[in-house]
Amino acid sequence: MTRGLSGQSPANVTHHLSGIDFPASRSDLEQHAKDNGAANDVLDVIRQMPDQEYGSMADVTKGIGDVE
């Protein structure tokens, strides 16, 4: 179930964030995903997440869930 995530599952998005150091801003998440070879559709999901500081992967997953 992708729920408006441009065909991307939360697991696919978080896969591209593997190894990121927290806390991380949305722009940090985007850059890390780019560095890990994320496609534009994954980056688009990250860009739509709330612009805030994320303290853990659980926070990121919640942010992905806020993308509709």
Side-chain angles (χ1 to χ4, degrees), residues 56-68:
S56 67
M57 195 59 76
D59 290 344
V60 171
T61 302
K62 183 180 182 307
I64 293 168
D66 289 342
V67 175
E68 302 207 343

Side-chain angles (χ1 to χ4, degrees), residues 8 12 14 25 27 37-38 42-43 46 57-59:
Q8 295 300 317
N12 191 31
T14 59
S25 67
S27 61
V42 171
L43 297 174
I46 294 170
M57 195 59 76
D59 290 344

Side-chain angles (χ1 to χ4, degrees), residues 17 20-33 46-47 49-56 60:
L17 298 174
I20 193 166
D21 292 325
F22 291 102
S25 67
R26 184 179 65 190
S27 61
D28 292 335
L29 300 176
E30 182 181 352
Q31 186 60 53
H32 192 82
I46 294 170
R47 290 178 188 127
M49 291 168 57
D51 189 10
Q52 64 184 44
E53 188 169 272
Y54 294 86
S56 67
V60 171

Side-chain angles (χ1 to χ4, degrees), residues 1 3 31 35 39 43-44 54 65:
M1 176 185 288
R3 296 185 350 241
Q31 186 60 53
D35 293 346
L43 297 174
D44 287 342
Y54 294 86

